[in-house]
Amino acid sequence: MPLSEFQLIARYFGALPAAGPAEGVVLGIGDDAAILRVPSGEDLLVSIDTLVAGVHFPPSLSPRAIGHRALAVNLSDLAAMGARPLWFTLAITLPEADPRWLADFAEGLGELASRAGIALVGGDTTRGPLSVTIQVHGAAAPGAALRRDGARPGDELWVTGRPGLAALGLRLLQSGAEAEDPACAAFLWPEPRIAFGLALLGLASAAIDVSDGLLADAGHIAERSGCGIEIDAALLPLEAGLASLPRDEALELCLGGGDDYELCFTAPPSAAADISAAAGRLGLPCRRIGRVHAGEGIRCPGFSPAHAGFQHFGANTDA
Ligand code: ADP
Ligand code: MG
């Protein structure tokens, strides 16, 4: 007997592991709407992202990795705003109700949800080509959230992690590499930088998560802030798997590759020591890679814009 929509929801999404009693959930899954109590006096931050099979992830991706990814890309948006994750909803379109697939998907989703302390409070389930939409809700002190428009001339530009590694990982996976390879793992299991985003409150002047490539995403900060940004190619973290590539190729991946979900942010030089200390406490690599100046646009001298059109699976999408 195929599972009914209700059985399916109850079995796989009704019992996701929770990190503890979910904050502010007056009524969760099961009614016509969830009832949520917004933390008193705080700003509510809301973001939504859809992943379509074959567009935002390879159709061959495991259900566990799809569950992880769908939530990770959304949590990464909250991280970039310095928001504390609270609740999420899940709208899923499935070609069929395959119990094995659903169990693995729910495991990937639930593992990250429980680590991030975010509660699933509702959603929608429909039949059709595979697509997963998650909307996340988070909280921040009034006016404190990090935005893209706060960079000022004289600020420094920073990035966490190893941008480009995920794009390299995808390339390796498509040529049959092992999922355990660190670059492949960076693509398969992006880690939203939630704790570090929170640590940047009061330190960073602007922030964004790197989903479409470092150059493009830092460019969004420049545009929204009405400033120019110059990246120093010599300061880029071309390490880990990227170190084994010819320098031009490593640069292309680092500046143009997507799917990293690292944080790129600006901060006044006076915040540098506190930023390094916060990153150190979290064991997160974090590097100054450039400067904000009066002017406009994003530049990385020595990196030819002809290379910036680097394409990979998932590039130039809104994931
Ligand atoms: P309605 O028809 O009133 O919209 P649904 O049958 O769509 O109700 O959903 C019933 C309950 O199950 C609701 O509380 C809804 O939020 C929840 N729900 C449905 N699909 C999902 C899902 N994929 N994940 C989490 N909760 C879900
Ligand atoms: Mg519904």
Side-chain angles (χ1 to χ4, degrees), residues 50-292:
T50 295
L51 301 188
V52 177
V55 178
H56 300 101
F57 60 86
S60 61
L61 199 61
S62 77
R64 193 161 155 259
I66 297 170
H68 174 94
R69 184 174 213 81
L71 184 56
V73 304
N74 277 283
L75 286 172
S76 180
D77 285 321
L78 288 184
M81 305 290 291
R84 190 171 92 256
L86 291 173
W87 316 302
F88 72 106
T89 54
L90 165 70
I92 186 163
T93 304
L94 296 164
E96 58 182 342
D98 171 356
R100 183 81 230 141
W101 193 98
L102 279 162
D104 288 351
F105 174 86
E107 189 182 309
L109 183 73
E111 190 275 328
L112 179 58
S114 124
R115 235 165 1 97
I118 190 165
L120 179 62
V121 295
D124 198 24
T125 306
T126 51
R127 194 177 292 270
L130 178 63
S131 148
V132 184
T133 298
I134 283 181
Q135 182 169 47
V136 285
H137 303 75
L146 305 171
R147 305 158 48 135
R148 296 178 179 183
D149 61 5
R152 294 294 170 261
D155 285 353
E156 295 169 312
L157 183 75
W158 297 71
V159 74
T160 62
R162 305 283 177 244
L165 202 56
L168 174 64
L170 176 63
R171 191 193 278 184
L172 294 175
L173 280 171
Q174 286 172 335
S175 59
E178 290 301 318
E180 287 71 32
D181 177 279
C184 299
F187 174 78
L188 290 172
W189 309 107
E191 185 61 33
R193 305 301 186 190
I194 299 164
F196 191 60
L198 288 167
L200 287 178
L201 291 169
L203 295 176
S205 52
I208 191 169
D209 67 318
V210 182
S211 53
D212 294 338
L214 186 53
L215 204 63
D217 288 320
H220 293 315
I221 293 184
E223 192 187 332
R224 298 278 299 182
S225 297
C227 299
I229 293 181
E230 185 165 312
I231 293 179
D232 182 345
L235 299 179
L236 290 170
L238 305 180
E239 284 138 20
L242 293 182
S244 60
L245 300 173
R247 186 176 154 76
D248 269 6
E249 220 179 307
L251 264 184
E252 278 182 19
L253 284 166
C254 183
L255 290 166
D259 297 318
D260 291 300
Y261 301 101
E262 296 294 347
L263 295 185
C264 174
F265 59 97
T266 59
S270 59
D274 287 342
I275 290 168
S276 295
R281 277 195 300 278
L282 293 167
L284 181 63
C286 186
R287 181 84 60 95
R288 263 177 284 194
I289 57 166
R291 277 197 171 274
V292 182

